[in-house]
Amino acid sequence: MTQQIRARGRPKSFRKPEDIPRIQAVDRAIDVLETLARGGATSLSALAVEMDQSPATLYRILTTFRLRGLVENNDATQEWMIGASAFRIGAVYLRRSTVASRAMPAMRDLMAATGETANLGVEAEGQVMFIAQVETHESIRAFFPPGTQGPLHASGIGKALLATYAEARLQKLLENAVLTHYTPQTLTSPTALRADLAATRARGYAIDDNEKTPGMRCIAAPIFNHLGEAVAGISVSGPSNRLTADKVAQVGALVTSAATSISRALGADMGMVWLGNLDSNQD
C-alpha cells in the first residue's frame, strides 16, 4: 500500500490568514497577555477596568494561563504577572537567528566606548522591535526593554533599515504608512523622509534627532546577513545634552564599525551591501 505524505503546517483547505475568521476567545486571551506584558504586576480588578472586561471572564483566562505557567499570581498582593513559560515561548524568537548572540560583544564595546546605551532591533510587522540592550551606567539613560516597539520613520534603527530598502519597496511603504507626528522634529512627509534616507546612505548611519522623544538622540546603522539582507540594526541612544551634535560623527563611526563587525560575523560581504547595489534587495 502506498502511503501519501502531505506537507505539514497548514490544513488542506488552507486560506490566507486575513481570509480566516478570528477565534474571539483566543483573541481575548492574547489581549490579556499583551496587557499584562505592558503593565507588569496588575490586580484582577485593575485589569478588568483597563480591558473593559468581566472580572469573571478574565479570571478564567488567567487561571488557565497560570496552570500552563504563562502567568503567575502573587497570593500576598493578589496581583497577576507574566510567567516563566511566556518568556520561554518568546525567547524562541531570539533563537531563530544568531544576530542577538553575535551582536552582544559589539554592543558591550559600543556602550563602553560611547558611555551611552547600545540597542539592537529588528523590523517586525512594520515597526522596529528592540530585542537586546546594553545599558549605560549613567542614571539618566534610554531604556527599551526587549519587545518594545517603535516607528520606522522616527527611530534611528528604523531609518537605518529603511535606507536599505529598494525603491519599489520604499514606495509601497510610503503609500500605505501613516507617518505619525511625535515631536516638532518628526519627519512626517515622504519627501522629507526620503531626503533623510538619502543622507543616511551617504554618511553610512541614521540619526534620530529628537524625532521620537524630545531630548533624546539616537545614531544607528544596519546589520546584514550572508545574503546581503538587512536583518537588524544597532544603535547608540542617549540624552541630547550628552550625545551632543558635535559628537554625532564620532559616535556614527563607532556605530557603523560595530554594525560592520556584526555583519561580517554573519557572513556578509560588506563590499556588496549598504553603499552597494541596493536595487538587488527584495521588493
Side-chain angles (χ1 to χ4, degrees), residues 36 40-45 47 58-59 62-67 69-84:
L36 282 180
T42 307
S43 68
L44 177 62
S45 58
L47 188 65
L58 293 181
Y59 183 76
L62 290 168
T63 301
T64 302
F65 281 154
R66 182 175 60 182
L67 292 172
L70 292 167
V71 303
E72 298 174 357
N73 178 245
N74 186 319
D75 291 332
T77 64
Q78 290 301 299
E79 290 180 319
W80 296 85
M81 64 215 74
I82 291 294

Side-chain angles (χ1 to χ4, degrees), residues 5 13 18 22 24 26 32 77 101 116-117 155-156 160 180 190 196 210 223 227 229 237 240 262 266 273 280:
I5 300 176
S13 58
E18 59 268 25
R22 293 187 178 189
Q24 187 176 13
V26 176
V32 172
T77 64
S101 59
E116 299 295 347
T117 297
S155 64
T180 303
D196 187 83
N210 300 272
I223 295 168
L227 298 175
E229 302 165 332
S237 54
S240 301
I262 300 166
L266 294 174
V273 298
S280 65

Side-chain angles (χ1 to χ4, degrees), residues 98-165:
T98 61
V99 65
S101 59
R102 296 282 189 179
M104 194 54 65
M107 292 173 66
R108 295 192 189 100
D109 291 344
L110 197 53
M111 189 281 289
T114 64
E116 299 295 347
T117 297
N119 313 285
L120 183 70
V122 298
E123 189 276 329
E125 298 181 349
Q127 290 191 298
V128 174
M129 184 169 72
F130 294 91
I131 61 174
Q133 183 176 68
V134 177
E135 291 185 68
T136 177
H137 301 302
E138 299 285 347
S139 57
I140 299 176
R141 56 186 180 268
F143 180 57
F144 306 105
T148 299
Q149 291 183 305
L152 287 171
H153 74 286
S155 64
I157 290 177
K159 292 198 291 180
L161 293 174
L162 286 177
T164 70
Y165 280 20

Side-chain angles (χ1 to χ4, degrees), residues 224-270:
F224 299 89
N225 66 10
H226 65 289
L227 298 175
E229 302 165 332
V231 293
I234 187 171
S235 71
V236 163
S237 54
S240 301
N241 62 351
R242 286 204 312 260
L243 196 53
T244 54
D246 61 347
K247 292 181 179 178
V248 167
Q250 177 188 1
V251 174
L254 292 171
V255 171
T256 54
S257 177
T260 297
S261 174
I262 300 166
S263 297
R264 285 177 174 154
L266 294 174
D269 180 352
M270 296 308 294

